[in-house]
Amino acid sequence: MRNWRHETGRRVALAGVALALAAVAACAPGASNSKPDAKSTGAISTDVAKAGKVTLTEWDINTSGGADTATTQLNKEFEQKYPNVTIKRVARTLNDLKATLKLALSSKNPPDVVQANQGYPDMGAFVKANLLLPLDNYAKVYGWNNTFPKQLLALNKFSSDGKKWQTGNLYGVSQTGEIVGIYYNKKLLKQVGLPLPKTFSEFEADLPKIKAKGQLPIQFGTGDKSPAIHLFGVAQAAIAGKQEVRDMVASSGSAKWTDASTVQSAQVVSDWAKKGYLTAGANGLTGDEASANFGKGQGVFRIDGTWRLAELDQAMGSNVGFMSPPPMKAGQPSATEGGEGLAWSITSKTKHADVAGAYLNFITDAHAEDVLAKTGNLPAVQPPSYTPKAGSLNADIFAAWKTISQEDGLTPYLDYTTPTFYDTITSNLQQLIGGKLDPKAFTKALQADAGAFKQSN
Amino acid sequence: MAAVSTPTDRTGAPDDKRRAGRRKATKKSDRIAYLYLLPAFVLFGIFLLFPLIHGFWISLYQWDGLSASTWVGLRNYGEAFSDPGLRSAFVHSLVLIVFYALIPVSLALLLTAVMSRARHTKGLGFFRVVLFLPQVVASVVVATIWTAIYAPQGVLNDFLSAIGLHAITKPWLGDFTWALPAVGLIGTWVEIGLCLVLFLAGVSQIPRELFEAARIDGAGAIREFFTVTLPGLRPQIAVALTLSVVAGLKSFDLIYVATRGGPGTQTSVPAFEVYHRAFDVGQVGSACAIGILLTLLILIATVVINRVDPGESR
Amino acid sequence: MNLRRDSAINYLILGFFAVIALFPLLGVLSSALTSPSESSASLSFPSSLHFSNFVTAWHQGHFSEYMRSSAIVTVSVVVLSGVLAILAGYAFATMEFRGRSVLFYVLLLGLMVPEEALVIPLYFDLRGVGLTDTYWALILPQAAQSLAFSTFWMRTFFRGVPGSLLEAARIDGANSWSVLWRILVPISRPALLTMAMLVFMWTWNDFLFPLVMISTEKLRTAPLGLAFFQGQHTSQFSLLAAGATIVALPVVVLYFFLQRHFISGMLSGAVKE
């Protein structure tokens, strides 16, 4: 046996140094790619049948439940309507999509249509790198400005340098509305003998009572990082109020992440974890697993988004209800995290922009909203043709969405704040929940990220 | 450390002695040799050396991978020591090296010492194949399996509950204290077989007379181990340490699949930070600097470890 | 000294570690054969054997595409780096030329460079010339990374060949080209096989390069497919276990048939970095 590493050692190191010293004729990295031009409205063809044979590749995050059913069905219908188009679908979990979309968009053959997450980490970065096509003229041609509420469209807007969010060009349209709220297990709630909480403090007071009865108060898992945002977001929306959260996320006004109200929200979440109101070891349980556990009857409450509608409806039937997080004072309007599903966007390198535009319109028009509603999703715009069954989870969710929209109670997802915020807030929340960080240190970490971004922008 | 030639070398270490008169144009035989080397070196140069240098070049800039970059000199390297997140990633790497290299090597040495008392274990071939198996399974597959074992309702917790230790069950990969050791133990599982197989092969090559002489001198098991077995196993120890330390430093696949650096940043390691910084948070310059630092670490580790083994021709 | 007791202890130790090595792997196999209705989030033991998971995973997880990609990339890397290593190893082993040691140590540097240090610059370089998202983006860099090991391996072997053999051929008037292909390569078949096996294993199991370089679904390699498959099946392990088995199988099967080659290669301290 020969250990062939005998021959290595100092000489290899020397060879390496010699190489490193070899002059490299390289220039500073960083490419300047040209801005994608918005097509003028006159040049847009809405007639897909005339486009010839086209393969449209789309990436979405609808890997499970009703969203999967709806996407499959709408794609099939589009292909039936236009036999000359083949749709190639790639579905990934949000976590995997976030990890690979940047690489895919910068490649030579990016997908034509992608679901991009709103805010600075994803959509802002893509716009900055000229990877997405501005859709304003498609919006004109297809009348999206009238179909969608203004505030929902604003979430998908960016200035063309990717620096200013909620203004400038439109870069995507969303199919679904979303709010984060409280799912509750009706049977268990009856068992512990509690009414639905009317205020946030009532909700908080319920938790120890549930625990005392030997039930798990809140089923929760954040092993895949993003769910903790929603738990904290709900507490923060209630305690700090909608205006303060909006200012923080949009980096406007004087609100800081270190303000007392946000520290208090962090304290609440930290106490929940400490006192055992959340599933033990939540950092090792994914959101999907926690949701499945809640569906199996483990946990009285579950704080999660309306995207779980189909899944929990199927698992629990009439035993599950949904409510907006209750306000601080009884009778006040609720505020909660929410907005819309990921934006469907067109990539700037696509060769079939018009077909992609028509596809976007097809999956967000009145018929599509109807399909979405019937497959257990919450459409961004209520289809007039659909009324949910009374007493069902659908009915609860549709009502909550309607009320929140009318009362203007939506606060944006916190990860929109800066390009690195998703990373910062998720990893620090895991530490807060794991008891590794106190609320003050936690909010400091968030403010450090947000402050640095505000300075550089 | 000088390059050591082995008995099998016929030409000795290739030292260039520039003889007078060789300064003329390259000889024909030289040209033929270069032709043989050319294809390999073209591929090697374009796809390994050039990217390595280019990576070093990028590491001198602050760059988000999308827009224009700013020259920052060696600041990205300074961050490896000043940035607490990055510093802890390097510390995590050291912890993993303990699990990947030190534990398996010491354990395997101990077992080898016990086992070398008896010669000629029959059926060693079968055990060798089995013990070596974890080495050949893709680390993505290994990570998938262990994620399931460590899961909150996984086999490990079931087992602990069954033997009455329900109190200590936890989601191992989501626990701040345990996530890193849990990942490390996966490494231990992978490397232990390699070390055992290596050392058993090494022991069988130690001349029998040495053991017998030690026993005639009245050496006990412990002294026999330190005077005969350990010195005789030096080359194998060097190989085992090199392989396992390098594996510990390059644990990207495992971390990506099992934890993505979580919970918090409890299991982030340099290899994962390279990917994470370059493609998740847009710090390409810093990512390249970590890549270069990782190369240096591997280089240093290899040189230091191979000093343990002064070669076979002593 | 009690020989019998000693060897009993040996079997006990070996048996214990063999069980530890096998348990997770057999656990995956048994989970993969569990019917989805009995499946949990972890390893499970089937009441009856279900092979349907393999079929489901194969179709639903697109493993047929992934395995095809993996096969194309891996075989190309083995052939390309093998041929180049034979040529270069031959020159290093049998020829005197200026700069021999410098070139040799430069090549050895390749043993020390981890793929993590190369993947980012290579990604931007290859993207610049439009090669990302093609098989070339995996084949060329991975072949280059295997070269250091392979060349060293071949050089060692060629040096061990008795000089008299080569002398005799030269006296017969054979040139260096035919000496290599007619004499050296045929007798180095075992060494070539070991080298091919190790490069096959490294390439097949590689994850970082495909993760970064490839975004088109049908070009993705098997380990990558498994990682994405995992994200979608966290609460049902039986399908995932089937996927994991499919991905690991080619290398494991080769290993069982050629285990001597694998082990002797690895034991010589081979590592691709």
Side-chain angles (χ1 to χ4, degrees):
Chain A
M1 190 199 81
R2 300 177 68 251
N3 175 2
W4 56 324
R5 281 170 191 275
H6 287 170
E7 314 228 6
T8 62
R10 238 199 353 236
R11 293 176 186 233
V12 176
L14 282 176
V17 172
L19 263 176
L21 293 177
V24 206
C27 47
S32 57
N33 31 7
S34 51
K35 288 247 172 270
D37 293 322
K39 265 191 152 173
S40 70
T41 46
I44 290 176
S45 148
T46 56
D47 191 354
V48 176
K50 283 211 183 84
K53 263 197 121 38
V54 172
T55 303
L56 203 66
T57 307
E58 61 95 344
W59 283 31
D60 61 63
I61 60 152
N62 306 325
T63 51
S64 63
D68 185 29
T69 320
T71 310
T72 311
Q73 186 183 332
L74 287 171
N75 282 358
K76 205 157 69 203
E77 287 179 5
F78 190 81
E79 285 178 329
Q80 278 162 355
K81 190 171 169 187
Y82 304 112
N84 57 327
V85 179
T86 315
I87 294 179
K88 271 178 60 184
R89 178 176 177 213
V90 176
R92 293 248 180 282
T93 60
L94 176 66
N95 223 4
D96 287 336
L97 186 92
K98 274 182 95 73
T100 46
L101 191 54
K102 251 183 212 146
L103 292 170
L105 287 181
S106 349
S107 76
K108 155 176 79 119
N109 298 315
D112 304 286
V113 172
V114 297
Q115 271 199 297
N117 201 3
Q118 289 89 347
Y120 288 105
D122 295 359
M123 194 189 272
F126 302 154
V127 170
K128 186 176 172 184
N130 305 318
L131 299 173
L132 300 181
L133 204 63
L135 303 180
D136 299 87
N137 288 331
Y138 288 101
K140 275 198 200 105
V141 169
Y142 290 112
W144 294 336
N145 297 329
N146 308 324
T147 357
F148 293 98
K150 218 195 227 68
Q151 68 266 30
L152 289 192
L153 284 174
L155 293 177
N156 293 335
K157 284 186 176 179
F158 258 102
S159 62
S160 59
D161 58 4
K163 285 194 170 174
K164 294 251 177 305
W165 176 47
Q166 302 208 42
T167 108
N169 302 332
L170 181 72
Y171 286 100
V173 281
S174 302
Q175 285 177 296
T176 53
E178 284 178 359
I179 50 172
V180 178
I182 302 173
Y183 291 91
Y184 51 92
N185 184 320
K186 292 178 185 168
K187 257 192 219 125
L188 287 180
L189 204 56
K190 207 177 264 155
Q191 243 176 48
V192 294
L194 290 170
L196 277 185
K198 292 204 173 37
T199 66
F200 196 75
S201 27
E202 255 178 62
F203 173 72
E204 282 212 86
D206 283 350
L207 303 176
K209 292 177 195 159
I210 296 170
K211 190 164 171 61
K213 292 261 164 82
Q215 289 288 357
L216 170 66
I218 301 175
Q219 173 63 252
F220 173 70
T222 189
D224 48 344
K225 296 197 163 177
S226 65
I229 300 177
H230 309 315
L231 185 80
F232 175 71
V234 159
Q236 195 197 18
I239 293 165
K242 63 186 180 192
Q243 200 48 50
E244 197 166 328
V245 176
R246 285 175 188 176
D247 286 349
M248 266 184 240
V249 177
S251 297
S252 63
S254 61
K256 278 200 169 61
W257 290 90
T258 44
D259 290 350
S261 56
T262 301
V263 176
Q264 199 195 328
S265 317
Q267 187 69 53
V268 164
V269 169
S270 160
D271 287 348
W272 287 354
K274 251 197 218 100
K275 292 177 178 161
Y277 303 157
L278 306 174
T279 313
N283 283 327
L285 191 72
T286 64
D288 287 346
E289 286 166 334
S291 190
N293 288 346
F294 183 73
K296 287 181 203 149
Q298 299 167 22
V300 177
F301 293 122
R302 169 145 177 82
I303 295 177
D304 203 347
T306 48
W307 51 85
R308 299 276 185 201
L309 197 173
E311 181 187 325
L312 290 175
D313 188 41
Q314 203 185 357
M316 303 168 76
S318 59
N319 188 30
V320 61
F322 179 88
M323 62 186 284
S324 297
M328 286 315 269
K329 289 206 180 65
Q332 277 184 332
S334 288
T336 187
E337 251 202 341
E340 51 191 349
L342 267 65
W344 289 87
S345 304
I346 303 179
T347 56
S348 55
K349 289 190 194 130
T350 178
K351 296 181 183 68
H352 315 294
D354 287 355
V355 177
Y359 173 74
L360 255 51
N361 189 52
F362 183 86
I363 59 171
T364 54
D365 66 7
H367 165 71
E369 303 287 13
D370 194 52
V371 170
L372 285 161
K374 284 194 177 114
T375 48
N377 299 281
L378 172 65
V381 183
Q382 293 262 5
S385 52
Y386 179 82
T387 17
K389 206 169 86 216
S392 67
L393 183 59
N394 275 33
D396 283 358
I397 285 182
F398 277 63
W401 169 248
K402 203 168 165 179
T403 315
I404 289 271
S405 306
Q406 277 167 354
E407 290 170 346
D408 184 30
L410 284 178
T411 61
Y413 292 119
L414 305 178
D415 49 293
Y416 293 175
T417 309
T418 79
T420 50
F421 212 71
Y422 178 85
D423 210 53
T424 305
I425 192 167
T426 50
S427 98
N428 281 292
L429 271 169
Q430 283 191 325
Q431 296 180 55
L432 180 78
I433 288 159
K436 295 276 144 192
L437 268 185
D438 62 61
K440 273 218 162 62
F442 164 77
T443 55
K444 253 204 204 88
L446 300 191
Q447 183 55 38
D449 186 323
F453 175 70
K454 202 169 173 175
Q455 264 182 346
S456 70
N457 223 7
Chain B
M1 166 186 142
V4 179
S5 56
T6 59
T8 52
D9 289 356
R10 280 174 301 106
T11 42
D15 272 319
D16 273 271
K17 296 191 181 61
R18 295 214 184 284
R19 296 189 212 111
R22 287 272 314 252
R23 291 270 157 157
K24 278 184 301 188
T26 36
K27 296 188 337 200
K28 178 169 174 262
S29 66
D30 280 12
R31 278 207 301 278
I32 291 175
Y34 294 147
L35 277 178
Y36 276 103
L37 294 173
L38 188 69
F41 271 88
V42 166
L43 187 73
F44 188 76
I46 296 176
F47 291 96
L48 199 140
L49 296 180
F50 176 74
L52 185 64
I53 296 162
H54 188 191
F56 176 70
W57 187 250
I58 297 175
S59 75
L60 305 175
Y61 287 83
Q62 188 182 356
W63 184 35
D64 63 359
L66 299 168
S67 37
S69 56
T70 341
W71 170 269
V72 293
L74 292 174
R75 205 176 65 195
N76 286 325
Y77 291 89
E79 264 184 11
F81 304 98
S82 64
D83 179 295
L86 205 48
R87 212 173 38 213
S88 66
F90 278 100
V91 172
H92 297 159
S93 234
L94 289 178
V95 174
L96 283 190
I97 285 175
V98 169
F99 280 98
Y100 267 80
L102 298 187
I103 294 178
V105 168
S106 340
L107 196 59
L109 271 178
L110 185 75
L111 294 169
T112 308
V114 172
M115 291 167 67
S116 64
R117 306 287 293 180
R119 311 293 295 183
H120 303 300
T121 308
K122 281 206 190 67
L124 198 61
F126 162 80
F127 286 112
R128 220 168 56 155
V129 173
V130 170
L131 290 173
F132 215 80
L133 198 52
Q135 285 285 332
V136 303
V137 175
S139 41
V140 175
V141 175
V142 170
T144 306
I145 300 171
W146 281 90
T147 307
I149 292 175
Y150 283 137
Q153 284 129 353
V155 189
L156 179 58
N157 285 340
D158 289 351
F159 170 73
L160 290 172
S161 301
I163 59 170
L165 289 173
H166 186 74
I168 64 161
T169 59
K170 48 178 72 70
W172 298 92
L173 292 174
D175 185 277
F176 272 83
T177 315
W178 285 97
L180 192 59
V183 170
L185 281 171
I186 304 176
T188 309
W189 176 78
V190 172
E191 301 297 336
I192 184 93
L194 171 86
C195 297
L196 257 179
V197 172
L198 257 173
F199 298 161
L200 287 175
V203 161
S204 66
Q205 285 173 353
I206 298 174
R208 302 247 28 192
E209 302 80 63
L210 291 178
F211 284 104
E212 275 153 21
R215 281 173 203 179
I216 290 164
D217 286 352
I222 294 173
R223 214 178 84 197
E224 180 189 304
F225 173 73
F226 280 104
T227 53
V228 181
T229 316
L230 198 59
L233 282 179
R234 273 182 158 179
Q236 285 80 7
I237 293 173
V239 172
L241 277 176
T242 309
L243 288 175
S244 53
V245 165
V246 169
L249 284 170
K250 300 168 41 145
S251 41
F252 172 81
D253 313 11
L254 195 58
I255 297 290
Y256 182 91
V257 175
T259 65
R260 297 259 168 120
T265 51
Q266 213 57 22
T267 55
S268 97
V269 293
F272 178 77
E273 282 297 318
V274 169
Y275 172 85
H276 180 64
R277 285 177 182 237
F279 302 118
D280 288 343
V281 290
Q283 300 171 330
V284 180
S286 167
C288 284
I290 302 168
I292 298 288
L293 284 171
L294 209 52
T295 312
L296 286 175
L297 272 179
I298 290 175
L299 202 70
I300 292 165
T302 310
V303 171
V304 169
I305 290 167
N306 285 289
R307 290 195 153 197
V308 172
D309 172 22
E312 289 137 85
S313 51
R314 265 174 298 147
Chain C
M1 191 175 101
N2 183 336
L3 263 176
R4 186 167 295 174
R5 195 199 60 199
D6 281 344
S7 56
I9 290 175
N10 283 10
Y11 283 123
L12 209 65
I13 293 173
L14 285 172
F16 176 74
F17 281 94
V19 168
I20 289 202
L22 279 177
F23 171 75
L25 301 171
L26 292 178
V28 152
L29 209 53
S30 91
S31 310
L33 296 169
T34 307
S35 93
S37 56
E38 298 172 16
S39 171
S40 66
S42 189
L43 308 183
S44 51
F45 199 74
S47 52
S48 61
L49 298 185
H50 275 260
F51 288 89
S52 61
N53 288 323
F54 290 101
V55 182
T56 317
W58 187 262
H59 292 298
Q60 202 191 344
H62 307 289
F63 278 102
S64 54
E65 284 179 347
Y66 299 147
M67 297 295 271
R68 192 175 144 263
S69 295
S70 268
I72 291 172
V73 170
T74 307
V75 171
S76 310
V77 169
V78 169
V79 171
L80 180 64
S81 71
V83 169
L84 299 192
I86 289 172
L87 296 177
Y90 179 53
F92 278 126
T94 63
M95 299 180 193
E96 292 272 355
F97 53 90
R98 273 202 292 173
R100 185 164 88 161
S101 63
V102 173
L103 284 177
F104 190 67
Y105 287 118
V106 165
L107 190 66
L108 280 192
L109 182 70
L111 286 177
M112 309 283 169
V113 181
E115 54 178 358
E116 284 86 351
L118 302 173
V119 69
I120 300 168
L122 265 173
Y123 168 74
F124 288 107
D125 293 338
L126 290 170
R127 200 177 79 186
V129 294
L131 274 183
T132 45
D133 220 10
T134 63
Y135 287 140
W136 293 114
L138 299 181
I139 295 168
L140 297 171
Q142 303 217 52
Q145 286 173 64
S146 310
L147 264 182
F149 157 75
S150 310
T151 305
F152 193 101
W153 183 256
M154 288 325 296
R155 165 183 173 266
T156 307
F157 183 85
F158 289 152
R159 281 184 151 197
V161 175
S164 51
L165 249 178
L166 306 185
E167 282 308 314
R170 284 203 194 101
I171 289 163
D172 287 348
N175 60 10
S176 70
W177 185 253
S178 52
V179 166
L180 171 63
W181 295 104
R182 284 214 206 119
I183 299 168
L184 280 180
V185 170
I187 57 171
S188 57
R189 222 173 270 158
L192 281 172
L193 191 57
T194 301
M195 177 178 89
M197 284 305 90
L198 289 174
V199 173
F200 183 96
M201 175 176 84
W202 290 325
T203 313
W204 183 277
N205 292 351
D206 191 46
F207 177 68
L208 179 58
F209 261 81
L211 175 70
V212 170
M213 299 291 175
I214 302 292
S215 47
T216 303
E217 188 71 12
K218 69 171 195 297
L219 301 182
R220 288 185 188 280
T221 59
L224 201 60
L226 180 66
F228 290 128
F229 199 57
Q230 195 214 17
Q232 296 168 27
H233 295 274
T234 43
S235 41
Q236 246 216 4
F237 190 63
S238 64
L239 264 190
L240 189 56
T245 310
I246 292 172
V247 173
L249 208 60
V251 177
V252 172
V253 167
L254 271 179
Y255 168 74
F256 278 130
F257 279 108
L258 299 161
Q259 40 98 3
R260 261 179 335 108
H261 287 279
F262 270 94
I263 294 176
S264 67
M266 296 280 290
L267 293 196
S268 68
V271 59
K272 169 199 166 191
E273 283 155 28

